[in-house]
Amino acid sequence: MIKQRADSEDLMAKAARVQVRRVYDPPQPDDGQRVLVDRLWPRGLSKERARLDDWCKEIAPSTELRKWYGHDPDRYAEFARRYRAELGDAAGAAALANLRKLAGHGQLTLLTATKRSDISEAAVLADLLAKR
């Protein structure tokens, strides 16, 4: 029972270390490491204003998947499934391992330029990072 509670607390602590925000929003004091996870640079945003610690474009969904999805909320579940499958290739797995490492060192904020970050690749990544 004690081991289960410790595992549960570890999972909750890890989940608290990963959050998703829009890259256009001003940086917050609790952001920790700020990592852009989009393949394309956000329109109209300077590097100074973005205040990124890293840009992990290797972890972004393929262009084909991104265009198919089009941020249609009705396609999110299928997008998330396909995106998780894409993350199984060598480049995706390495990029995900890097994000896990960053999350293990403290607060991690995954940034995206999408209007609805709750149905973005950043949300899928945050979910994956919280589970492991």
Side-chain angles (χ1 to χ4, degrees):
M1 181 71 162
I2 293 173
K3 169 118 174 74
Q4 286 179 329
R5 185 175 14 189
D7 289 344
S8 176
E9 288 171 3
D10 286 346
L11 182 61
M12 287 172 33
K14 185 168 246 186
R17 288 194 297 240
V18 179
Q19 60 189 344
V20 175
R21 291 204 169 126
R22 292 192 72 228
V23 71
Y24 295 108
D25 295 338
Q28 299 297 309
D30 67 339
D31 279 351
Q33 292 283 310
R34 293 172 48 86
V35 179
L36 179 64
V37 293
D38 291 346
R39 185 174 307 278
L40 305 173
W41 185 260
R43 237 177 246 216
L45 186 68
S46 68
K47 289 184 180 181
E48 294 77 29
R49 193 169 139 231
R51 293 187 40 202
L52 300 178
D53 294 300
D54 198 1
W55 179 15
C56 188
K57 47 184 149 174
E58 303 82 23
I59 201 147
S62 66
T63 301
E64 179 182 279
L65 180 58
R66 180 177 54 83
K67 287 182 177 182
W68 170 83
Y69 175 43
H71 298 281
D72 178 348
D74 293 335
R75 291 183 173 184
Y76 179 71
E78 179 62 15
F79 164 76
R81 187 192 67 75
R82 291 182 188 188
Y83 181 41
R84 284 183 181 101
E86 283 188 356
L87 291 171
D89 72 15
L96 188 58
N98 182 53
L99 289 181
R100 278 199 178 96
K101 182 178 173 184
L102 290 174
H105 292 303
Q107 185 68 31
L108 175 63
T109 300
L110 303 176
L111 300 167
T112 181
T114 60
K115 290 180 183 173
R116 290 203 43 201
S117 59
D118 62 318
I119 59 169
S120 69
E121 76 275 7
V124 174
L125 291 169
D127 183 57
L128 285 171
L129 292 171
K131 289 181 178 177
R132 296 192 184 176

